[in-house]
Amino acid sequence: MKATLLLETALKHFAEEGYEGASLSKIAEEVGIKKPSIYAHYKSKDDLFMSALHYSMESQKTQMASYFNLSRHQPLDKVLSGYFHWFAKETDENVQMKFIIRTAYFPPLKLEKEVGQLFDPFLDDMHRHLTRLLRERERHQKVLYEDDYSKAALAFLTIAEGTMTELVYSGQEQYEKRFEAIWPIFWRGLAL
Amino acid sequence: MKATLLLETALKHFAEEGYEGASLSKIAEEVGIKKPSIYAHYKSKDDLFMSALHYSMESQKTQMASYFNLSRHQPLDKVLSGYFHWFAKETDENVQMKFIIRTAYFPPLKLEKEVGQLFDPFLDDMHRHLTRLLRERERHQKVLYEDDYSKAALAFLTIAEGTMTELVYSGQEQYEKRFEAIWPIFWRGLAL
DNA sequence: TATTTCCTAACGACCGTTAGGAAGGTGAAA
DNA sequence: TTTCACCTTCCTAACGGTCGTTAGGAAATA
């Protein structure tokens, strides 16, 4: 399926060079077709970009749901800390996550609105998963903000994003160091 | 001084549209000169970009040093939490910080090396400031990782980046909520 | 007078995009 | 079973536009 290959190649280029930096010629070249052939599959660069974004986010959403499902019998601290490692390992060489993060933080100005409309439900989804997780565990593991689990979920998301970003930015090794530095503090501060 | 105005205008455009997205024509237009006149001051777009980056980082380094100096009589938790707000203020109001962050995470590929050489000392500087701060306060405020303050500093930087990232992405209001969620956990986990 | 700063004009390169058509497969009608 | 129309997918050629950059000269400044 050339269409999927095209999408995945495009998303790699968008992740590494940004919307403006990525060139349709180079993408086509890597796929092994000519530039105008792209238009047989997508009606514009914007269309290709938004399709790649949609594709990445769906894929990440699926992975996230599957992680929470797999780890549902683990103790809370394992679920939470494992969540980091899961993403670090499972994220297809981190290209998808890199693309998502780059686009979330620095969207192409002309697509800012559309991008936002895709992202808001995505973040809500993550937040909701975490909030529900914390509530489900309240009988076995008390945490800070017992009256407002969404607040604890937000705190977790913050350090997740901090370390994720580091993963994208300076690679696995620095990421491991950060994780080891932050996790004991976080868990010690969260658990009651 | 047209040269400085040119630099500041350029850095604003680079911050908002990225290296590839920013156009010399638009920058010149905003400054009130014609595009080729830029070349009387900078010998290429790369030169302009790197000059703007250098300028921003020097400026931010000065401000950071001055923050640590001003707050040196505050208790540790005030210094640290105040650092967040300072950082937030810089990122939100000052395009310089946005430019720095964007360039650090997603540099133009062709300038990746040069950019890295500028950034490594910059990050070391931040890390060193924090490490020294923690060591200076050890008699008044014990913290986790007493034997390795640089680790505690790293943890702090992670949270700072996580919240700041949120600031770039969804603005002051969301940022405040994140700060309120994460700070009590962090301080409770860090302080002995 | 010498240098800096700006201009107009124009360069070649690349951009995203469209036109128009060839090749190949699919499926229904003859 | 053959034929024909219809897609889809790819191509070459070329479009108008913008990009960063240079040449060469005028104006301002020192």
PDB file of all heavy atoms in Angstrom, chain A residues 14 25 42 50 160 183:
ATOM      1  N   PHE A  14       7.828  15.641   8.322  1.00  0.00           N
ATOM      2  CA  PHE A  14       7.202  16.718   9.082  1.00  0.00           C
ATOM      3  C   PHE A  14       7.761  16.774  10.493  1.00  0.00           C
ATOM      4  O   PHE A  14       7.963  17.841  11.059  1.00  0.00           O
ATOM      5  CB  PHE A  14       5.682  16.546   9.118  1.00  0.00           C
ATOM      6  CG  PHE A  14       4.989  16.885   7.829  1.00  0.00           C
ATOM      7  CD1 PHE A  14       4.008  16.052   7.314  1.00  0.00           C
ATOM      8  CD2 PHE A  14       5.314  18.048   7.141  1.00  0.00           C
ATOM      9  CE1 PHE A  14       3.355  16.377   6.121  1.00  0.00           C
ATOM     10  CE2 PHE A  14       4.666  18.369   5.942  1.00  0.00           C
ATOM     11  CZ  PHE A  14       3.686  17.526   5.439  1.00  0.00           C
ATOM     12  N   SER A  25       8.841  17.200  -2.781  1.00  0.00           N
ATOM     13  CA  SER A  25       9.773  16.514  -3.684  1.00  0.00           C
ATOM     14  C   SER A  25      10.554  15.456  -2.923  1.00  0.00           C
ATOM     15  O   SER A  25      10.666  14.313  -3.367  1.00  0.00           O
ATOM     16  CB  SER A  25      10.762  17.497  -4.286  1.00  0.00           C
ATOM     17  OG  SER A  25      10.173  18.726  -4.552  1.00  0.00           O
ATOM     18  N   TYR A  42      -3.532  12.739  -1.916  1.00  0.00           N
ATOM     19  CA  TYR A  42      -3.935  13.856  -1.050  1.00  0.00           C
ATOM     20  C   TYR A  42      -4.081  15.116  -1.882  1.00  0.00           C
ATOM     21  O   TYR A  42      -3.283  15.367  -2.775  1.00  0.00           O
ATOM     22  CB  TYR A  42      -2.906  14.058   0.060  1.00  0.00           C
ATOM     23  CG  TYR A  42      -2.726  12.806   0.883  1.00  0.00           C
ATOM     24  CD1 TYR A  42      -1.717  11.895   0.576  1.00  0.00           C
ATOM     25  CD2 TYR A  42      -3.607  12.511   1.920  1.00  0.00           C
ATOM     26  CE1 TYR A  42      -1.576  10.728   1.308  1.00  0.00           C
ATOM     27  CE2 TYR A  42      -3.475  11.347   2.650  1.00  0.00           C
ATOM     28  CZ  TYR A  42      -2.458  10.455   2.345  1.00  0.00           C
ATOM     29  OH  TYR A  42      -2.333   9.306   3.057  1.00  0.00           O
ATOM     30  N   MET A  50      -2.356  17.168   7.678  1.00  0.00           N
ATOM     31  CA  MET A  50      -3.423  16.882   8.632  1.00  0.00           C
ATOM     32  C   MET A  50      -3.732  15.382   8.685  1.00  0.00           C
ATOM     33  O   MET A  50      -4.031  14.850   9.757  1.00  0.00           O
ATOM     34  CB  MET A  50      -4.692  17.675   8.268  1.00  0.00           C
ATOM     35  CG  MET A  50      -4.583  19.188   8.451  1.00  0.00           C
ATOM     36  SD  MET A  50      -4.053  19.733  10.094  1.00  0.00           S
ATOM     37  CE  MET A  50      -5.429  19.186  11.109  1.00  0.00           C
ATOM     38  N   ALA A 160       5.227  13.832  32.814  1.00  0.00           N
ATOM     39  CA  ALA A 160       5.293  12.976  31.634  1.00  0.00           C
ATOM     40  C   ALA A 160       5.735  13.798  30.428  1.00  0.00           C
ATOM     41  O   ALA A 160       6.636  13.394  29.688  1.00  0.00           O
ATOM     42  CB  ALA A 160       3.936  12.333  31.367  1.00  0.00           C
ATOM     43  N   TRP A 183      11.424  10.668  39.241  1.00  0.00           N
ATOM     44  CA  TRP A 183      10.407   9.722  39.682  1.00  0.00           C
ATOM     45  C   TRP A 183      10.338   9.536  41.200  1.00  0.00           C
ATOM     46  O   TRP A 183       9.232   9.604  41.774  1.00  0.00           O
ATOM     47  CB  TRP A 183      10.549   8.377  38.982  1.00  0.00           C
ATOM     48  CG  TRP A 183       9.478   7.436  39.439  1.00  0.00           C
ATOM     49  CD1 TRP A 183       9.620   6.383  40.272  1.00  0.00           C
ATOM     50  CD2 TRP A 183       8.085   7.539  39.147  1.00  0.00           C
ATOM     51  NE1 TRP A 183       8.408   5.802  40.519  1.00  0.00           N
ATOM     52  CE2 TRP A 183       7.444   6.494  39.839  1.00  0.00           C
ATOM     53  CE3 TRP A 183       7.313   8.416  38.381  1.00  0.00           C
ATOM     54  CZ2 TRP A 183       6.061   6.303  39.772  1.00  0.00           C
ATOM     55  CZ3 TRP A 183       5.939   8.216  38.318  1.00  0.00           C
ATOM     56  CH2 TRP A 183       5.331   7.164  39.015  1.00  0.00           C
TER      57      TRP A 183
END
